[in-house]
Amino acid sequence: MENNQVLEHYLDTEYKYGFTSDIDTETAPAGLSEDIIRFISQKKEEPDWMLERRLQAYRRWKEMPEPAWAKLRIEKINFDQIIYYAAPKKAKLNSLDELDPEIKATFDKLGISLEEQKMLAGVAVDAVVDSVSVATTYKAKLAELGIIFCPLSEAIREYPELVKKYLGTVVPPHDNFYACLNSAVFSDGSFVYVPKGVRCPIELSTYFRINTMNTGQFERTLIIADEGSYVSYLEGCTAPRRDENQLHAAVVELIALEGAEIKYSTVQNWYPGDKHGRGGIYNFVTKRGICKGAYSKISWTQVETGSAITWKYPSVILKGDHSVGEFYSVAVTNHHQQADTGTKMIHLGAHTRSVIISKGISAGQSHNSYRGLVKFARTAHKARNYSQCDSLLLGPNCGAHTFPYIETNCPTAVAEHEATTSKISDDQLFYLRQRGLDLEKAVAMIVGGYCREVLQHLPMEFAVEARKLLAISLEGSVG
Amino acid sequence: MIPIEQKPLLEIRNLTAGVESKPILRGLNLTIYAGETHVVMGQNGSGKSTLSYVLAGKPDYVVMEGEIWFKGKNLLEMSPEARAGEGLFLAFQYPIEIPGLSMGTFLKTAVNEVRAYRGLPSLDARTFLALQREKLAELGLSSDIMGRSVNEGFSGGEKKKNEILQMAMLDPDLAILDETDSGLDLDAIKQVTAGILKMKNSQRAFLIITHYPQIVEYLQPDKVHIMINGRIEYSGGIELAALLEKEGYEYFKLQSYQN
C-alpha cells in the first residue's frame, strides 16, 4: 500500500533536463534531398571529396529498406519532416567568451559549466548543440602533446589525411540504414587523434544536446589511438521535453592501433518520453571499435537511462592478436521506454579476449532486451569470451529479455555465458529501511550495488553522476 | 533510587498481530523504561521474532489489535525508517545480503539518514571514520569488511558482529536483538555481549531475544520474560532464567495451563 503511494508520487517526477533554450538558430528546411546535403556540406566549408562521400551515402540510403525491429514497438518515422541541419547562429568561436550566453546558460543548467570544467575537473569538453560543435576547451594544452581534439568538421578541413584514412572504415556507410543516413547528413561531432606512445592526461568529454524542435541529431565521432597510446573519452547527452519523437542517429568509430587503449564511457539521458509514452528520443546509434593492432584494447562502458527507444550495440572487432574488448553496460527502462542494447565481439585474432557485463533494470511497463553476439572466426585461435547478463525487474508489468548469440568457427576458442534474473527482495528493502533509509534511497542503494561491477569502470565524477541518474530514473518504481 | 513518574520508553498494550490473518502474538503486554535491559526467552514459534518485526514495522506483519507507544508516540503510525530515526534499532536474526553495496557506503548513509531525522548534521568523513575504527576494534572486526558488500560472504560470526557494529554506530534509544547470540562460538558471544554492555546507559534500553539462559548471566538484565504462545506469561528477575534452565519450558507451559 505504502509503497504504491510513493510510487505514484515519484512516477510524476519530471525529466529534469526538459527545458528548451532560446538560442538563435539557423536551420535547413525539413526533409532530405541532394540539395540539403550540398547545403550542409557547404555550411561546413567541406572539401569536395567529403561532399562526394555524403552524396554516395545518400544515394545508397535511398535504396535501403528501413529496418524491421525485433523486439521494439515503433511508429513509422517520416524522414521528410526531420530537419537535418540546425545550428546556433554564432557558431564559429575564437574563445569561450564569444559563446552565446544562452548556450552558456544551458550548459550551466545542465550542471556542466564549461569554464568550471575547464578549470577544476581537468576535463576537456566539446559541446555539441543540435548539429554544431560550439566549444572545445583545453585545446592548447592537448596540442602540446600532439593530441588533436576538435569538432569533426574542423578535422575534415585541417586534417584531411587522417579523416580520409579512417572515417567510415569501421562503420562503412552501407553498414545499416541509420549509419548510412548518418554518413549522408552528419553535421558534426568530435574528432580525437592521440599520437604514438602518448597517454592522454585528461578525460576528453563531449556533451550532446538536442535543442531545436523536429531536429534530428546525427553526430559523428571518430577516435584514433595510435600505437601505444591511451585515451579515455566521455560522452553525455540530454534533450528538451517534447511531445513528438525526435531522432538521434549517431555513429561512433574507434580505432586502436598496436598496443593502444581506448576507453569510451557514455551516460545517455536523452528525454525518455512522459509516463504515458508520449514523445522522447529515438536513439539509434551505431558504435563500433576496431582493435587493429596486436595487444590493443577497447573498452565500452555505458549507462543508458534515457530515450523512448534505444537501439545500440557498441561493438569491438578484435583483429590484432592478443587484443581485448570489453563491454560494461547498465540499461534502465521505466514507464514505456524500450531498450534493445548489447554488444558484438568479433574475434578475428589469436588469443583475443572479450568480457561482456550487462545489467538490465526494468520498471513500469518498459521492456529491456540484451542482444549480443560473440563470434569466433577460424583464425581466433585460443580466443576467450566471458559474458554475464543480469536482469533486475522492478514491478510486475515490465519485461526483460536476453538474446545471446554465439557463433564459433574455431575449435580452440572458449565462450562462457551466465545469465540471471532477479527482483529486489522485500527483505532487502526492509533491512535498509530499518537502518533509516527511505524507500527511494533503499531502492537506489540496492540498484547501485547491483550495477557496481559496471559503474566501477566509469571515471570517478561520471560514476557519481551515473548513480544519481539511476536513482532519479527509478524513483518510486518499486511497488 | 526510585524514578518519580518516569514515562515508559516502550509500552505495548494487548498486542495481537501476525502475518496475513493468522495471529501469532495474542494479547501481549510489555513495558520498558529507559536504561533497562529486558530479556525475552521462549521456544521456537512462541512469537519472539514476530514481536521484533512488528516493533520494527516489517510491511507484511499486520497488527489486529492493541497499541504500541514509543517515547510517547504511536509507533504503529510510523514507517520503518521513521521508527529507525526515532531510535528503534533491530539487530536481525538473519542479516540480509545486499550484493554490490559496500558496507562503508551503507553505514555512512544510514548514520547520516538517522542523524538527519534527529535534526543533527551529517558526520564529516574524519569523525565518521574515527568512530567506525573504534567500534570495529571493540568487536574484533577487521576494517576490511567496510569495503565488502553488505553481509555478502560474511561468516555467521561476522554477520552478527556487523549487526552490533551498526547498532553502535546508529546510537538507538531502544535496541532489539533477535537471537544475536545464536550460532556464535563462546569468544564471539563474549565480544557481542561486551559490545552491548558498553552501550548500556541510563537513556538506552535493550530488548534481547534469546534461547540461552547463559546470556542472562553475562548481561545481568533488569527483567526476564518467558513467552508462551504469543504472550508474555512470566516476568521476573534473573532468577527466572535460572529456574528455566533447571526446569525447561515444559514446566512453565504446564504451569500456564494450570492457571
Side-chain angles (χ1 to χ4, degrees):
Chain A
M1 256 334 234
E2 192 187 5
N3 286 6
N4 278 336
Q5 282 167 9
V6 184
L7 171 74
E8 286 306 317
H9 173 69
Y10 277 92
L11 281 179
D12 288 335
T13 306
E14 290 193 2
Y15 181 68
K16 196 174 139 196
Y17 305 100
F19 57 86
T20 322
S21 308
D22 190 14
I23 302 167
D24 203 5
T25 52
E26 182 174 29
T27 53
L32 194 52
S33 65
E34 296 207 1
D35 283 345
I36 293 285
I37 288 166
R38 281 177 214 281
F39 171 82
I40 295 169
S41 188
Q42 189 200 337
K43 278 278 156 208
K44 301 264 135 199
E45 298 166 36
E46 284 177 355
D48 288 345
W49 62 266
M50 195 63 241
L51 173 63
E52 204 40 53
R53 283 193 179 196
R54 286 178 181 276
L55 290 171
Q56 273 173 18
Y58 173 65
R59 286 165 200 149
R60 188 97 186 226
W61 177 74
K62 281 204 299 188
E63 312 284 307
M64 289 173 96
E66 223 180 306
W69 307 94
K71 207 63 205 169
L72 302 177
R73 279 173 294 113
I74 180 173
E75 279 177 46
K76 199 154 170 52
I77 300 170
N78 187 340
F79 290 93
D80 288 331
Q81 277 179 4
I82 293 171
I83 296 168
Y84 290 87
Y85 183 85
K89 253 182 187 159
K90 290 174 236 157
K92 231 180 164 187
L93 303 170
N94 293 318
S95 81
L96 274 177
D97 303 334
E98 293 174 33
L99 194 62
D100 186 327
E102 274 292 323
I103 294 182
K104 236 184 202 166
T106 302
F107 285 117
D108 288 345
K109 239 190 248 182
L110 292 168
I112 49 151
S113 151
L114 293 167
E115 279 149 302
E116 257 181 50
Q117 289 236 10
K118 193 171 151 187
M119 306 216 298
L120 302 173
V123 176
V125 179
D126 185 13
V128 176
V129 174
D130 288 338
S131 308
V132 170
S133 186
V134 288
T136 306
T137 59
Y138 251 105
K139 218 164 166 175
K141 192 181 168 190
L142 294 169
E144 283 171 29
L145 293 162
I147 297 169
I148 305 167
F149 178 40
C150 68
L152 183 62
S153 56
E154 189 181 318
I156 290 167
R157 294 190 300 269
E158 307 287 328
Y159 313 100
E161 295 318 311
L162 279 172
V163 176
K164 253 191 210 171
K165 189 172 173 191
Y166 291 109
L167 189 72
T169 57
V170 192
V171 181
H174 57 270
D175 188 82
N176 67 68
F177 184 80
Y178 289 100
C180 196
L181 177 62
N182 176 289
S183 302
V185 303
F186 77 85
S187 34
D188 222 330
S190 295
F191 175 82
V192 177
Y193 172 78
V194 188
K196 271 184 200 173
V198 171
R199 202 181 156 84
C200 184
I202 49 176
E203 314 273 354
L204 302 182
S205 164
T206 298
Y207 211 89
F208 294 105
R209 170 101 184 142
I210 298 177
N211 193 45
T212 310
M213 211 186 315
N214 293 331
T215 312
Q217 176 141 329
F218 304 95
E219 83 270 0
R220 179 130 198 158
T221 297
L222 177 61
I223 300 176
I224 303 148
D226 212 328
E227 291 173 17
S229 68
Y230 167 85
V231 63
S232 168
Y233 184 89
L234 321 175
E235 174 201 275
C237 357
T238 58
R241 263 176 43 181
R242 299 194 188 284
D243 287 342
E244 308 83 30
N245 294 107
Q246 281 182 287
L247 180 62
H248 173 245
V251 170
V252 176
E253 295 177 284
L254 311 182
I255 293 134
L257 300 181
E258 191 174 325
E261 180 177 349
I262 302 174
K263 191 170 156 52
Y264 193 105
S265 310
T266 306
V267 172
Q268 185 264 109
N269 185 26
W270 295 117
Y271 176 52
D274 66 14
K275 62 177 169 176
H276 306 293
R278 266 196 310 266
I281 301 290
Y282 288 165
N283 190 34
F284 301 149
V285 173
T286 307
K287 290 183 165 174
R288 195 177 302 150
I290 183 164
C291 286
K292 235 179 155 160
Y295 296 97
S296 56
K297 178 175 174 184
I298 289 177
S299 181
W300 297 102
T301 305
Q302 61 172 22
V303 175
E304 303 281 318
T305 62
S307 297
I309 299 180
T310 295
W311 176 89
K312 135 177 203 205
Y313 314 93
S315 305
V316 184
I317 300 166
L318 296 142
K319 189 163 178 246
D321 291 347
H322 298 277
S323 60
V324 177
E326 293 175 337
F327 174 74
Y328 302 103
S329 170
V330 170
V332 182
T333 52
N334 200 353
H335 306 310
H336 292 270
Q337 280 177 275
Q338 304 173 69
D340 196 308
T341 183
T343 185
K344 292 181 209 165
M345 292 291 173
I346 312 292
H347 292 258
L348 304 177
H351 303 283
T352 48
R353 282 180 293 133
S354 63
V355 175
I356 299 169
I357 308 282
S358 163
K359 304 271 182 180
I361 299 158
S362 329
Q365 286 88 49
S366 69
H367 280 270
N368 203 327
S369 302
Y370 167 81
R371 190 182 302 278
L373 170 68
V374 176
K375 189 172 177 173
F376 297 110
R378 210 188 314 273
T379 48
H381 180 63
K382 291 206 169 164
R384 293 185 76 94
N385 160 266
Y386 172 75
S387 304
Q388 184 190 326
C389 303
D390 298 329
S391 306
L392 188 65
L393 299 172
L394 310 183
N397 302 318
C398 52
H401 317 271
T402 303
F403 306 97
Y405 302 92
I406 299 173
E407 276 179 45
T408 180
N409 296 306
C410 177
T412 59
V414 181
E416 283 176 76
H417 181 88
E418 286 178 29
T420 65
T421 301
S422 51
K423 288 185 173 186
I424 290 184
S425 79
D426 291 342
D427 284 345
Q428 288 175 329
L429 288 174
F430 175 59
Y431 190 68
L432 293 183
R433 293 177 78 189
Q434 210 305 301
R435 299 307 187 239
L437 280 67
D438 65 26
L439 194 59
E440 281 70 49
K441 287 215 177 65
V443 171
M445 285 270 148
I446 294 167
V447 170
Y450 169 79
C451 300
R452 175 148 89 160
E453 280 167 286
V454 172
L455 298 182
Q456 70 189 6
H457 291 280
L458 287 173
M460 194 58 173
E461 322 85 284
F462 233 39
V464 173
E465 204 49 44
R467 273 178 199 279
K468 277 191 213 153
L469 201 55
L470 283 178
I472 292 167
S473 310
L474 289 170
E475 261 168 354
S477 50
V478 169
Chain B
M1 199 173 77
I2 301 157
I4 306 154
E5 276 200 51
Q6 195 194 356
K7 283 199 170 153
L9 180 70
L10 178 78
E11 196 173 9
I12 304 174
R13 288 187 209 141
N14 191 31
L15 180 67
T16 298
V19 180
E20 288 171 1
S21 57
K22 187 176 156 250
I24 299 168
L25 302 177
R26 306 153 199 266
L28 183 140
N29 291 292
L30 178 65
T31 302
I32 298 177
Y33 288 90
E36 291 183 340
T37 300
H38 288 232
V39 166
V40 172
M41 305 178 81
Q43 285 179 299
N44 286 334
S46 60
K48 303 186 304 292
S49 287
T50 299
L51 174 61
S52 68
Y53 284 146
V54 171
L55 286 171
K58 195 168 191 216
D60 28 351
Y61 283 76
V62 186
V63 172
M64 296 139 198
E65 222 190 308
E67 296 166 24
I68 306 178
W69 297 89
F70 181 57
K71 292 159 74 174
K73 295 178 190 166
N74 185 349
L75 192 73
L76 297 176
E77 285 178 353
M78 292 180 211
S79 67
E81 56 270 30
R83 296 178 197 206
E86 288 289 342
L88 187 147
F89 178 89
L90 169 62
F92 283 60
Q93 185 181 0
Y94 303 108
I96 307 297
E97 297 180 1
I98 303 176
L101 174 59
S102 81
M103 272 299 302
T105 306
F106 161 63
L107 201 52
K108 193 150 196 242
T109 308
V111 166
N112 286 330
E113 287 295 314
V114 161
R115 287 179 66 88
Y117 184 94
R118 295 169 193 170
L120 299 168
S122 291
L123 285 185
D124 61 273
R126 184 186 296 200
T127 314
F128 180 85
L129 286 174
L131 187 65
Q132 178 184 292
R133 201 172 305 128
E134 180 194 323
K135 303 297 175 194
L136 284 169
E138 281 171 20
L139 288 163
L141 281 169
S142 154
S143 60
D144 294 352
I145 74 156
M146 302 317 293
R148 288 161 63 187
S149 298
V150 176
N151 291 319
E152 203 184 33
F154 283 31
S155 70
E158 281 174 329
K159 280 187 180 171
K160 296 299 178 81
K161 286 180 187 175
N162 186 18
E163 295 294 290
I164 302 299
L165 171 71
Q166 292 170 47
M167 173 174 81
M169 297 292 288
L170 291 171
D171 193 23
D173 292 321
L174 174 65
I176 305 158
L177 286 83
D178 189 1
E179 298 197 24
T180 303
D181 51 1
S182 64
L184 291 183
D185 59 37
L186 209 58
D187 289 357
I189 287 186
K190 280 186 176 160
Q191 278 168 321
V192 164
T193 47
I196 296 167
L197 287 170
K198 199 165 187 308
M199 283 183 68
K200 269 196 178 189
N201 64 31
S202 62
Q203 304 301 312
R204 197 177 345 252
F206 289 89
L207 176 59
I208 291 161
I209 294 168
T210 181
H211 273 304
Y212 303 116
Q214 304 95 292
I215 215 80
V216 173
E217 239 170 85
Y218 288 126
L219 288 177
Q220 295 292 310
D222 302 286
K223 291 261 169 64
V224 174
H225 309 278
I226 293 174
M227 206 163 157
I228 296 169
N229 277 329
R231 240 206 293 242
I232 288 175
E233 293 286 2
Y234 296 92
S235 295
I238 47 178
E239 75 287 346
L240 198 58
L243 188 61
L244 177 66
E245 191 166 29
K246 194 171 151 225
E247 304 288 349
Y249 284 109
E250 288 308 316
Y251 168 81
F252 285 92
K253 272 193 191 169
L254 204 64
Q255 296 289 314
S256 92
Y257 274 124
Q258 285 169 353
N259 293 340

